Amino acid sequence: MEAINLIVRSIFVDNMIFAYFLGMCSFLAVSKNVKTALGLGVAVTFVLVITLPLNYLLETHVLKAGALAWLGDEYATMDLSVFSLLIFIAVIASFVQLVEMVIERFSPALYSSLGIFLPLIAVNCAILGGSLFMQQREFANVGLATAYGFGSGIGWLLAIVGMAAIREKLEYSNVPKPLKGLGITFIITALMAIGFMSFAGIDI
Amino acid sequence: MALLNSKTKAVLLGPLSKNNPVIVQVLGICSALAVTSKLEPSLVMAIAVVLVTAFANVIISLLRNSIPNRIRIIVQLVVVASLVTIVSEVLKAFAYDVNKQLSVFVGLIVTNCILMGRLEAFALGNGPWPSFLDGIGNGLGYGWILVVVGFFRELLGSGTLMDIQVIPESFYEVGYENNGLMMLAPMAILLVACIIWVHRAQNKELQEESN
């Protein structure tokens, strides 16, 4: 129950894009048509679902104050949380590289349709943001961390697909010249974000 | 002056307007907008990004001939993450309240696309000194947007600047109200849209053809 609540909340209320503006760069760059937007959204969700539990385990068993107690008494007082940023980003970057190589080896078709987005994901703020929020929220177990990763990913996917759908229709509208392209996209994002605020307070 | 010839000057000043990382190249919006509800955190964030971009550019530029191409992204991320860790520890020591307000967004400087963009596009192909200037220029180009957004949001949203009351008490007595909407996150992005509007109305060559 707690996990479902967490998933729903992270999709609608704490939406990565509309509540925290994470992953905006690729959100704005890749939301020109629905198909590529969907591809990137799925890739982001996948990477979030894998890296978040990984980073959670690292956080609770290596990085947190006193987390190294399992190595013996003299390690019990160690606090490695200074390095969390480095470790998180290293995990994410190497995982993305690994996924890229595996997909390239086993499924060239998927690689060519997803390939260009994969290196982009390593620097997608939503991924690192997920890990940093996970650290801040101190989830009770791995399951909740995974649920949070899944929810955030789906929320990101929903947002980028919605945005792409609106931008496809926007082709036919008459936008003031200086606002064309980037400007109007920003305004739509802001309006969508205000819309998403009406979800605030959902609790299952 | 030998240190600033016309080329390096363009490198330093270009990103402030014509080649601005935020409103022209669309980089680094991610970690920016959520911190701009007040002027003070915006300023701190701007300074932090200027420092990190400049020094990351210098370090990568020095290492550029010895990084294997295949793992360069990981190397870049590690360099940036170490710099950000230093900045975040310094903030925790000397500006704890601001650090609390910025929360995870200091850490998110790591994935700020401006950094990766500049490292990939500039530092990997240029010497340390131009790279340093490029970092400063892009950091400032990002910073002034942040400060402008922070300025208007704090002025209209809470009637203060740097936590000092600027809207006189008499305004409130005759019925002036702070605009609470300004404190909400979406307004930051709307303000950036307005900056883009003004900027592109001035610089016609930047206007786009399609939506």
Side-chain angles (χ1 to χ4, degrees):
Chain A
M1 210 58 226
E2 205 182 336
I4 295 173
N5 189 21
L6 191 64
I7 289 177
V8 172
R9 282 190 64 87
S10 52
I11 291 178
F12 294 109
V13 185
D14 297 330
N15 188 292
M16 278 285 180
I17 285 182
F18 295 134
Y20 301 112
F21 301 120
L22 296 181
M24 282 301 280
C25 308
S26 32
F27 174 76
L28 293 170
V30 194
S31 61
K32 283 220 167 84
N33 73 65
V34 174
K35 213 169 154 226
T36 45
L38 193 67
L40 184 66
V42 170
V44 165
T45 313
F46 179 66
V47 175
L48 262 174
V49 167
I50 306 287
T51 56
L52 223 86
L54 267 180
N55 281 339
Y56 179 83
L57 290 175
L58 278 171
E59 159 83 7
T60 41
H61 293 298
V62 181
L63 294 170
K64 222 160 56 174
L68 279 174
W70 53 273
L71 271 179
D73 281 339
E74 67 263 47
Y75 296 101
T77 51
M78 275 199 165
D79 182 1
L80 295 180
S81 47
V82 184
F83 297 113
S84 49
L85 204 57
L86 259 171
I87 305 268
F88 288 170
I89 197 70
V91 166
I92 292 167
S94 41
F95 179 75
V96 169
Q97 199 104 50
L98 201 74
V99 170
E100 197 183 341
M101 288 187 221
V102 168
I103 295 182
E104 194 178 7
R105 172 78 180 74
F106 291 105
S107 170
L110 183 65
Y111 181 74
S112 58
S113 66
L114 208 71
I116 39 163
F117 300 128
L118 279 170
L120 265 181
I121 293 174
V123 286
N124 188 322
C125 333
I127 312 274
L128 183 64
S131 287
L132 290 175
F133 279 122
M134 171 272 291
Q135 189 185 25
Q136 208 177 43
R137 290 177 176 209
E138 297 169 345
F139 291 120
N141 57 52
V142 181
L144 283 182
T146 319
Y148 180 68
F150 179 73
S152 307
I154 295 292
W156 202 88
L157 178 127
L158 260 184
I160 194 170
V161 170
M163 186 70 199
I166 293 181
R167 280 182 83 174
E168 277 186 359
K169 292 277 175 275
L170 211 63
E171 289 293 319
Y172 310 109
S173 49
N174 188 13
V175 179
K177 264 216 134 136
L179 271 181
K180 276 200 169 177
L182 194 57
I184 195 72
T185 314
F186 268 74
I187 293 180
I188 295 169
T189 314
L191 293 178
M192 282 172 88
I194 294 175
F196 261 68
M197 289 182 94
S198 58
F199 287 117
I202 286 185
D203 227 341
I204 295 184
Chain B
M1 210 162 77
L3 283 176
L4 279 179
N5 56 33
S6 60
K7 189 178 159 259
T8 45
K9 211 169 171 185
V11 163
L12 180 64
L13 298 179
L16 291 184
S17 167
K18 288 277 159 62
N19 212 1
N20 189 288
V22 178
I23 58 181
V24 180
Q25 304 174 37
V26 211
L27 296 175
I29 301 156
C30 334
S31 58
L33 295 177
V35 303
T36 50
S37 62
K38 286 252 157 73
L39 190 54
E40 198 187 359
S42 321
L43 266 174
V44 172
M45 188 74 180
I47 294 168
V49 170
V50 170
L51 289 178
V52 174
T53 345
F55 286 106
N57 259 355
V58 171
I59 293 173
I60 291 295
S61 165
L62 288 171
L63 292 174
R64 72 183 185 279
N65 293 323
S66 50
I67 304 176
N69 198 32
R70 198 149 177 84
I71 58 159
R72 65 176 196 287
I73 292 195
I74 299 185
V75 174
Q76 288 164 357
L77 283 175
V78 168
V79 168
V80 175
S82 333
L83 284 170
V84 172
T85 310
I86 296 171
V87 167
S88 136
E89 293 301 308
V90 169
L91 275 182
K92 254 182 222 157
F94 294 106
Y96 191 74
D97 292 338
V98 181
N99 189 61
K100 266 264 163 318
Q101 277 174 317
L102 291 173
S103 75
V104 301
F105 291 96
V106 176
L108 284 171
I109 298 177
V110 176
T111 48
N112 193 317
C113 329
I114 292 179
L115 279 159
M116 292 307 284
R118 292 333 288 168
L119 294 178
E120 285 278 299
F122 200 90
L124 279 178
N126 287 284
W129 176 243
S131 303
F132 180 71
L133 290 178
D134 181 75
I136 298 265
N138 278 285
L140 287 177
Y142 166 91
W144 79 257
I145 305 274
L146 231 67
V147 170
V148 169
V149 174
F151 175 83
F152 281 109
R153 280 182 78 188
E154 182 167 1
L155 183 66
L156 300 175
S158 26
T160 58
L161 283 178
M162 305 290 278
D163 287 326
I164 299 163
Q165 187 81 26
V166 285
I167 307 250
E169 218 35 70
S170 53
F171 274 42
Y172 291 100
E173 277 157 23
V174 293
Y176 176 83
E177 290 269 355
N178 284 327
N179 185 352
L181 201 59
M182 275 292 164
M183 298 312 285
L184 303 177
M187 296 317 284
I189 215 161
L190 216 58
L191 275 173
V192 175
C194 295
I195 295 178
I196 290 175
W197 194 349
V198 173
H199 187 252
R200 295 212 170 165
Q202 305 274 321
N203 300 281
K204 295 227 167 22
E205 71 275 12
L206 292 175
Q207 293 175 7
E208 291 168 60
E209 278 311 310
S210 67
N211 285 323

